[in-house]
Amino acid sequence: MLDKPAAGAPSGAPFRLTSLAHGGGCGCKLAPSVLRELLAEQPAGGPFERLLVGTETGDDAAVYQLDDETCLIATTDFFMPMVDDPYEFGRIAATNAISDVYAMGGKPLMALAILGMPLGKLPTAMVREILKGGQAIAAEAGIPVAGGHSIDAPEPIYGLAVIGTASPATIRKNSTARAGDALILTKALGVGLYSAAFKKEALPPAAYAEMIGSMTTLNRIGTELGRRAEVHAVTDVTGFGILGHGLEVARGSSLTLHLDADALPVLAEAERLAREGFVTGASHRNWASYGEAVALPDDFPDWRRHLLTDPQTSGGLLVACEPGAASTLLAEIRAAGYPSAAVIGRMAEGAPGVVVSG
């Protein structure tokens, strides 16, 4: 226990919420290699012709076509706390879960809460604050939290199952990028580095505010992107880092993704923290899982690589679009409330993988 709350902890808190969890945020995700191994022998599930998106390419949500005009989008996402303020934890987890619907080009419709709490270790008031935070973000997205399920768990867990809708024409997968497409990233990288520094009480207050601001910004621009014919593929960047989720796009689209490391938007303190070694365990697991499919420059330092494998919680959208439309789309994305958005690379013919320059 701490004698006083850490930065970002609620006033009068008797302990750090993060002290009850072995990991936090999307850094809790299983490593990509482990996930592939677990899913390798799973049955396809049968000939469901209306299931437009399943598990085949590790996309952000499942999509089922109800009729000629409507698709149902379903997803679930939950994790352990990466901040000590329970209200902010609820907001972050809800923003992250709803993002999957936006990443498919859809519009969220409603959510169900997923709650696991260590009984006897957390005051009831703190659990209520977690739920309030989730409900606040759901209200911002214009949807209700219409129910849910709770269990007694050894570590605090919270998230949402989210249902959304879209027309078949507006669904955007992570596997439909085209050769020549430009790549846009809508949020800055570095959340995992910030969370590592936060756990060690080494994150400045301004950086903490920047981290919270990024993680609680809804990716609602995804709904609009789904309506744009010049947008060919979309995914959100979360626990596998920009390299891991970029690699999913490359493999699903059977193309090479060329990433310009110099063009990547990063949070204000991210480079300093990477140089100083504030790296999550998930960053190491990510590289061990997919490093063989990534070509780095010969003189690329480890700290820069950690920026690329850094797990993002409620990260931005990675958008593949026609190159001639990239500048217009970028301006519109920034004007919609994503000032860090940047063109970060391109898709090209070649073996599925990621080639990094810069």
Side-chain angles (χ1 to χ4, degrees):
M1 292 188 181
L2 300 176
D3 293 331
K4 60 182 181 179
S11 177
F15 54 81
R16 300 188 71 175
L17 184 59
T18 51
S19 71
L20 298 178
H22 75 277
C26 286
C28 298
K29 292 178 73 167
L30 294 176
S33 58
V34 175
L35 190 58
R36 287 198 303 271
E37 183 178 351
L38 291 175
L39 296 176
E41 297 182 6
Q42 294 297 312
F48 298 103
E49 63 180 19
R50 289 184 177 271
L51 182 64
L52 304 186
V53 181
T55 61
E56 302 79 32
T57 60
D59 219 323
D60 299 297
V63 179
Y64 191 92
Q65 186 168 350
L66 296 177
D67 53 41
D68 290 343
E69 297 181 356
T70 308
C71 290
L72 192 70
I73 303 171
T75 184
T76 182
D77 214 316
F78 53 88
F79 46 60
M80 291 168 281
M82 59 187 300
V83 295
D84 292 316
D85 186 316
Y87 182 77
E88 296 295 3
F89 170 41
R91 292 178 70 221
I92 293 164
T95 307
N96 181 74
I98 297 170
S99 178
D100 288 340
V101 172
Y102 291 132
M104 302 305 300
K107 182 178 181 180
L109 183 65
M110 70 174 183
L112 303 174
I114 300 165
L115 182 70
M117 288 293 143
L119 295 180
K121 295 183 180 180
L122 271 182
T124 302
M126 293 185 73
V127 181
R128 283 201 301 265
E129 287 298 302
I130 294 171
L131 296 174
K132 285 181 181 178
Q135 289 170 338
I137 285 294
E140 187 178 332
I143 64 172
V145 179
H149 186 65
S150 60
I151 63 169
D152 179 11
E155 297 178 287
I157 297 169
Y158 177 69
L160 298 176
V162 188
I163 300 298
T165 58
S167 71
T170 63
I171 292 294
R172 291 295 179 269
K173 304 178 185 180
N174 69 352
S175 58
T176 49
R178 303 177 188 177
D181 277 354
L183 295 171
I184 298 172
L185 180 63
T186 64
K187 287 187 184 180
L189 303 173
V191 167
L193 295 161
Y194 274 41
S195 67
F198 175 77
K199 277 199 166 185
K200 296 180 180 179
E201 302 182 63
L203 189 68
Y208 176 82
E210 183 187 23
M211 178 178 73
I212 295 294
S214 177
M215 293 189 296
T216 57
T217 297
L218 288 163
N219 281 324
R220 63 172 82 241
I221 189 65
T223 304
E224 174 59 29
L225 293 172
R227 301 188 181 109
R228 304 292 288 268
E230 60 268 40
V231 172
H232 301 146
V234 181
T235 191
D236 64 348
V237 178
T238 55
F240 300 157
I242 185 64
L243 282 185
H245 293 286
L247 182 58
E248 288 179 333
V249 173
R251 286 172 168 164
S253 306
S254 298
L255 297 170
T256 301
L257 188 153
H258 291 266
L259 186 68
D260 181 356
D262 290 337
L264 288 170
V266 296
L267 298 175
E269 298 281 343
E271 180 177 326
R272 177 184 67 81
L273 293 173
R275 288 178 180 272
E276 294 178 5
F278 288 98
V279 179
T280 67
S283 180
H284 294 290
R285 293 193 298 273
N286 282 342
W287 182 250
S289 293
Y290 54 63
E292 79 286 346
V294 178
L296 297 174
D298 292 336
D299 57 350
F300 207 73
D302 285 346
W303 70 263
R304 293 196 74 187
R305 174 169 57 82
H306 286 308
L307 283 170
L308 306 185
T309 57
D310 188 53
Q312 305 305 291
T313 298
S314 190
L317 300 179
L318 180 62
V319 183
C321 66
E322 292 179 7
S327 60
T328 299
L329 278 174
L330 179 61
E332 293 177 4
I333 291 169
R334 287 176 174 173
Y338 309 87
S340 297
V343 176
I344 64 165
R346 59 186 176 86
M347 305 299 298
E349 298 284 358
V354 178
V355 176
V356 178
S357 61

